[in-house]
Amino acid sequence: MRKEKNYHLTDPTWCKGCGIFGIFAALKKAAVTLNLEPEQLVIVTGIGCHGRLNNYFRSYGFHALHGRTLPVASGVKLSNPRLSVLGISGDGDAYSIGLGHFIHSLRRNINITYLVVDNRIYALTQGQTSPTSEKGFVSVSTPYGSKDLNLNGPQLALASGGSFIARGFSGEPKQLATLIEKGMKHNGFSLIEVLSPCVIHNKVNTYQWFKKNIYNLDDDSNYNPKDKMKAWKKLSNEKKIPLGLIYIEKRPSYEDLVFGKEAKPIVFDDLRVDVPRLEKIMEKFK
Ligand SMILES: Cc1ncc(C[n+]2csc(CCOP(=O)(O)OP(=O)(O)O)c2C)c(N)n1
């Protein structure tokens, strides 16, 4: 436990300057703008530095296993669709151990908002190379430089059938809050990847580095986020990294198909147990 003067148990334990503070501020702003009551919101987190976000938020929260944010968030949402459900993962949680859930959640389109805190490193475990670390990245796990290509989460999301894909930056909490609000209003799965410096373990992707390497699609009136090919092109050329709403598509959510007007009966057969028939079958095995 921290021994600092005036430290309170409910104070965040992130390192000074951590990008997650910006995300925390954006989340609070979005919850206020959306007028969410604490009991209406459930924040599900994975394992990592990001995983403490729900601890400091006055809402329901669930700190899931590493890589299992989305199965838990999906279960919460489907058992009570009236709740607003927000999942949060790190780049390791989402794109390494949780990658299968990532892809299937995008195509399934359950009404969840998912923030991926991309600090391009495994921070909690003291700085190993992650799927979003660039080729050549030197860390304790790749001392000779990573030989792997880095993974592009939003591009993978587009290929996996994502209906809302955005990217924010923890150094721009106002824009991030707006993206979270839009994502939470979207009917279906909304992915918001958040570029977020880890000031202790990642000495490459700093605030200055991100500022130099980002541009804002939200400022470009010629950009149409409903155009899938345009979105693909933007994500294919990331010498400069696009922020903002990258892609949005209107299509029924999973809940619309299962519980809503478009719901079709899932079970066509009468599945009640036919005891006499069962007994007859059992006879055969005696
Ligand atoms: C099943 C399992 N495997 C490995 C770990 C060890 N572990 C804890 S956090 C973590 C990675 C954290 O990186 P990320 O998800 O990017 O989150 P960050 O700490 O950067 O926010 C790992 C590998 C674990 N807790 N559980």
Side-chain angles (χ1 to χ4, degrees):
M1 201 208 297
R2 283 195 180 178
K3 296 223 173 76
E4 285 160 31
K5 226 172 140 196
N6 301 328
Y7 176 72
H8 193 270
L9 257 186
T10 53
D11 289 342
T13 53
W14 301 302
C15 309
K16 280 186 185 127
C18 176
I20 302 176
F21 281 106
I23 301 172
F24 186 42
L27 255 182
K28 282 197 277 190
K29 186 170 183 303
V32 171
T33 312
L34 291 168
N35 218 3
L36 282 175
E37 295 296 332
E39 69 273 15
Q40 287 175 307
L41 176 64
V42 185
I43 300 182
V44 182
T45 57
I47 303 296
C49 295
H50 67 276
R52 295 200 141 253
L53 264 163
N54 66 300
N55 291 10
Y56 311 124
F57 219 85
R58 200 157 76 84
S59 68
Y60 286 114
F62 194 112
H63 199 169
L65 290 174
H66 192 32
R68 302 296 179 259
T69 301
L70 287 175
V72 173
S74 304
V76 172
K77 183 67 185 175
L78 294 182
S79 39
N80 187 351
R82 283 174 303 165
L83 292 169
S84 293
V85 180
L86 190 99
I88 307 179
S89 284
D91 40 301
D93 201 65
Y95 304 147
S96 268
I97 192 168
L99 188 67
H101 302 300
F102 180 73
I103 292 171
H104 294 296
S105 299
L106 285 150
R107 68 188 189 89
R108 191 169 294 133
N109 209 29
I110 297 178
N111 208 342
I112 296 169
T113 298
Y114 189 39
L115 301 190
V116 179
V117 181
D118 182 17
N119 53 18
R120 302 185 165 198
I121 204 154
Y122 291 177
L124 186 74
T125 44
Q126 309 291 295
Q128 293 80 10
T129 293
S130 95
T132 55
S133 309
E134 277 185 37
K135 196 169 165 217
F137 189 77
V138 174
S139 80
V140 289
S141 63
T142 54
Y144 301 108
S146 168
K147 308 293 177 228
D148 299 347
L149 283 181
N150 56 316
L151 182 148
N152 183 328
Q155 193 175 29
L156 181 59
L158 193 64
S160 307
S163 62
F164 181 108
I165 300 164
R167 206 191 253 128
F169 172 42
S170 56
E172 297 281 353
K174 262 195 194 162
Q175 180 192 26
L176 181 58
T178 310
L179 292 173
I180 297 172
E181 285 156 38
K182 281 188 185 159
M184 293 192 79
K185 283 186 190 157
H186 175 71
N187 182 39
F189 189 88
S190 46
L191 166 72
I192 304 163
E193 185 184 84
V194 192
L195 306 175
S196 184
C198 167
V199 293
I200 301 296
H201 298 296
N202 189 337
K203 303 294 185 195
V204 177
N205 308 113
T206 59
Y207 284 96
Q208 291 79 356
W209 187 92
F210 278 120
K211 277 184 191 160
K212 240 197 262 163
N213 286 285
I214 51 180
Y215 70 98
N216 203 338
L217 280 180
D218 288 347
D219 293 339
D220 180 356
S221 52
N222 287 325
Y223 184 71
N224 175 9
K226 291 180 186 157
D227 186 331
K228 201 169 196 169
M229 286 319 290
K230 266 195 182 157
W232 184 261
K233 263 193 176 162
K234 289 283 176 200
L235 294 169
S236 301
N237 176 10
E238 294 213 329
K239 276 187 196 132
K240 285 255 177 196
I241 310 165
L243 295 191
L245 180 56
I246 297 167
Y247 182 67
I248 186 162
E249 166 192 321
K250 229 179 175 184
R251 78 163 202 265
S253 66
Y254 185 81
E255 295 92 311
D256 288 336
L257 299 173
V258 175
F259 309 126
K261 276 189 220 136
E262 302 193 33
K264 301 242 164 40
I266 306 172
V267 176
F268 295 98
D269 290 334
D270 183 353
L271 293 182
R272 274 171 299 183
V273 179
D274 179 347
V275 177
R277 188 168 152 246
L278 257 184
E279 279 174 349
K280 243 187 186 171
I281 295 170
M282 300 278 279
E283 278 303 312
K284 283 191 199 166
F285 294 97
K286 276 189 184 165

